[in-house]
Amino acid sequence: MILYTKLFTIQLTSFLNNTVRKAFAKLVLHAAACAVVCFIFAGAFLFSSCSVSNERKNPIVIWTDSEELASYVELFNATHDAQAVIIYKKEVLRAFPPAKDEQIPDLVIASALKTENIRKNFSPVEFVFGEHKLSRSIFYSKLLEYGTSKGTQYLLPVSFNLPTMVFSKNNSSFITDDHIIMLEDIKNAASKFTAKNEAGTTFLTMGYAPSWDADFVYNVTKLKGASYKEDEKVFSYNENALQQVIQYCKNWTTSSNESTAVEQNFQFKYLYMHKSNQLSTDKCLFVYMPSNEFFTQKHNETAAISFRWLSDGEYIMMEDNIVSLGLYKKARNPQKAKIFMEWFFSKDTQKQLMERMKKMNLTTSKFGIVGGFSSIKEVNETVFPIYYRELLENLPMENYLSVPNALPSRWSSIKERIIIPYLTESIDTREDREVKTLEQRIDAWAKQAF
């Protein structure tokens, strides 16, 4: 009996030992599995953290002269692993090549990027069309062509502006076309609007005067074929076209408004306020504004006024400040830059950007996409009219649009210091004024600038 008891005890002990060992083994395996899972999660978290950290340490660097990009980049960073930063440059092209101690740009989004030596700073961007992410057909064809050099796409168009003649809706009867207005139409309508006192000695109203706005005259010279263009000697131009416009303006002044002195005295007396308020005086018929200036007015101001695109009947010449996007030739993150480009040139993205601008109450200070009409046709046609009701009846017409030539990188300074003073003095009807030629001004500017 004792023997059986011992045998049973040994077997039971063996059984228990085996059971305990198996249970312990299971427990060890379970613990090991948990440890592996925890390690995987920890590793994944660590990898993710490192990945995000690396993205932030190596962001897409964007040089720009547009403040709006700060808001755009903020939205991009909130929705992408790839991150971007902006560096503001007042004159982007003059900042090349980058200094040794500054961040090299991957992308450049700015105005005045189109120059003759465009290939010196930028790489071709044909690859964005290669994988069907972007289609050439979404862009205005002439804008897309504007960014090419010898048939290769170096720049992608971002935004543009157009010249407008603005008038009070109360005076719509003076306007004959629903979309455009030509130089002769402006002159004729202005003449009909102009009125003097009973004695015929004093102007009570004056429809429009060329001397009121040199930017208006400058845009007319572009329309009439002045053809300003970058060349070895700063810039070239069509002298005959320029002189024809100057003479036209002088004849306009003498035939309709007597003299430049009378025009300017009238302006000083009645039109001393901002352009947006001049029409409310009912003393003039027109004011000239680029589209970005017209569409950033308050709604209660635009409700009483309307506009027509300044045209020669065949073209509407774009303002010089076309904004383009370029991939820097020595970009360190071309693949990430591609992600940003594909994101930015999406209708849905640009719709989001417009909505974001509205929520931030920026539509009264910033117009459209990067301060202008979008380069994407569908955005202008379907999104812009939601925020700019005036466009419902008069959207830009693609077949009318014309782009400027390649201009010098310092064109804004050249225009301000050479062309505008020359035009202002040349259209003045006072015969005793000595006017320096454009060539004399170019030579003097070149000596100072270089």
Side-chain angles (χ1 to χ4, degrees):
M1 182 69 180
I2 293 171
L3 179 62
Y4 288 134
T5 303
K6 284 183 179 179
L7 286 171
F8 177 75
T9 302
I10 291 170
Q11 289 174 349
L12 180 62
T13 302
S14 176
F15 171 77
L16 288 174
N17 285 342
N18 287 334
T19 302
V20 169
R21 279 198 300 271
K22 288 178 181 179
F24 181 74
K26 287 182 179 180
L27 183 62
V28 170
L29 287 172
H30 179 70
C34 288
V36 169
V37 170
C38 289
F39 176 77
I40 290 171
F41 274 106
F45 177 77
L46 182 62
F47 177 80
S48 175
S49 299
C50 290
S51 176
V52 172
S53 177
N54 288 335
E55 293 287 358
R56 294 189 183 278
K57 286 180 181 178
N58 189 28
I60 307 160
V61 178
I62 303 173
W63 280 13
T64 184
D65 59 3
S66 301
E67 299 171 358
E68 297 92 316
L69 261 294
S71 175
Y72 299 176
V73 164
E74 186 179 13
L75 180 60
F76 175 80
N77 288 345
T79 54
H80 289 77
D81 290 334
Q83 299 288 285
V85 296
I86 63 169
I87 297 176
Y88 181 81
K89 299 280 185 181
K90 187 176 180 180
E91 295 183 88
V92 172
L93 285 183
R94 296 195 70 196
F96 286 112
K100 292 182 180 179
D101 58 345
E102 71 176 330
Q103 288 181 294
I104 293 175
D106 297 301
L107 292 174
V108 179
I109 303 176
S111 56
L113 296 185
K114 171 74 171 181
T115 63
E116 289 293 338
N117 62 350
I118 190 174
R119 292 170 294 172
K120 179 181 177 181
N121 295 315
F122 299 105
S123 294
V125 288
E126 300 278 353
F127 63 88
V128 298
F129 302 116
E131 298 174 4
H132 306 293
K133 292 286 185 179
L134 289 179
S135 169
R136 292 180 181 274
S137 64
I138 69 172
F139 296 99
Y140 291 96
S141 57
K142 290 179 184 176
L143 270 177
L144 202 59
E145 186 181 346
Y146 173 81
T148 64
S149 176
K150 296 184 178 180
T152 300
Q153 197 77 44
Y154 282 89
L155 298 174
L156 293 176
V158 173
S159 66
F160 64 96
N161 279 289
L162 299 172
T164 71
M165 296 304 294
V166 185
F167 56 92
S168 169
K169 289 181 179 178
N170 293 332
N171 295 319
S172 296
S173 59
F174 290 94
I175 314 303
T176 58
D177 192 282
D178 292 335
H179 303 290
I180 64 171
I181 190 164
M182 295 184 287
L183 191 59
E184 195 67 15
D185 296 331
I186 298 168
K187 180 183 174 183
N188 291 338
S191 179
K192 293 175 183 177
F193 181 85
T194 297
K196 290 184 176 182
N197 63 1
E198 291 183 4
T201 56
T202 305
F203 282 92
L204 301 177
T205 60
M206 188 176 288
Y208 195 69
S211 67
W212 287 351
D213 197 328
D215 281 326
F216 165 77
V217 180
Y218 169 71
N219 272 280
V220 171
T221 65
K222 287 170 60 179
L223 270 178
K224 296 299 183 180
S227 193
Y228 304 108
K229 186 177 181 180
E230 178 186 23
D231 76 352
E232 294 179 358
K233 190 183 177 182
V234 187
F235 71 96
S236 63
Y237 56 94
N238 185 321
E239 175 68 19
N240 289 334
L242 207 56
Q243 293 308 317
Q244 286 176 12
V245 171
I246 289 169
Q247 193 58 52
Y248 183 93
C249 290
K250 291 176 77 170
N251 292 341
W252 178 350
T253 294
T254 54
S255 64
S256 300
N257 306 326
E258 294 185 0
S259 70
T260 300
V262 173
E263 289 177 341
Q264 293 180 349
N265 287 338
F266 186 91
Q267 184 181 37
F268 178 79
K269 185 176 181 179
Y270 296 111
L271 307 175
Y272 51 83
M273 68 289 291
H274 188 269
K275 285 182 182 180
S276 59
N277 297 319
Q278 288 176 9
L279 295 172
S280 63
T281 66
D282 209 30
K283 288 292 184 180
C284 65
L285 179 58
F286 295 110
V287 295
Y288 164 81
M289 290 185 190
S291 54
N292 58 319
E293 187 175 337
F294 175 75
F295 289 108
T296 51
Q297 296 178 94
K298 295 179 182 177
H299 178 71
N300 61 348
E301 293 173 350
T302 58
I305 59 179
S306 189
F307 71 97
R308 298 291 184 269
W309 308 116
L310 179 60
S311 174
D312 65 351
E314 186 176 0
Y315 298 112
I316 302 171
M317 183 65 71
M318 293 182 189
E319 298 279 341
D320 296 331
N321 59 342
I322 294 173
V323 177
S324 303
L325 177 150
L327 177 67
Y328 182 48
K329 205 163 190 176
K330 298 180 180 179
R332 292 174 176 170
N333 298 299
Q335 289 305 312
K336 289 183 182 178
K338 183 183 177 185
I339 294 171
F340 184 90
M341 286 188 273
E342 290 171 351
W343 171 82
F344 180 77
F345 289 109
S346 156
K347 177 196 168 184
D348 291 339
T349 295
Q350 296 203 0
K351 184 178 180 181
Q352 279 185 295
L353 295 175
M354 297 281 284
E355 290 171 351
R356 182 181 176 86
M357 247 178 52
K358 181 68 174 178
K359 289 178 181 177
M360 296 173 70
N361 198 30
L362 294 177
T363 50
T364 55
S365 59
K366 301 294 180 184
F367 171 53
I369 297 295
V370 197
F373 285 107
S374 173
S375 60
I376 301 173
K377 291 180 284 186
E378 192 178 1
V379 173
N380 292 332
E381 294 165 357
T382 62
V383 180
F384 270 59
I386 297 172
Y387 301 98
Y388 308 104
R389 306 293 291 179
E390 302 84 357
L391 288 171
L392 284 170
E393 299 177 352
N394 198 0
L395 281 165
M397 299 164 284
E398 182 175 11
N399 58 312
Y400 273 83
L401 300 182
S402 181
V403 297
N405 296 316
L407 297 168
S409 59
R410 300 186 65 183
W411 186 246
S412 59
S413 174
I414 292 168
K415 177 186 168 185
E416 179 185 348
R417 297 178 60 183
I418 299 177
I419 299 174
I420 293 299
Y422 172 72
L423 293 175
T424 300
E425 294 178 22
S426 296
I427 67 170
D428 196 312
T429 59
R430 286 169 282 197
E431 299 294 340
D432 59 338
R433 296 171 67 91
E434 183 180 347
V435 180
K436 290 182 180 179
T437 67
L438 209 48
E439 290 299 319
Q440 289 172 328
R441 295 168 192 269
I442 292 171
D443 290 340
W445 182 86
K447 290 175 182 177
Q448 294 175 1
F450 304 104

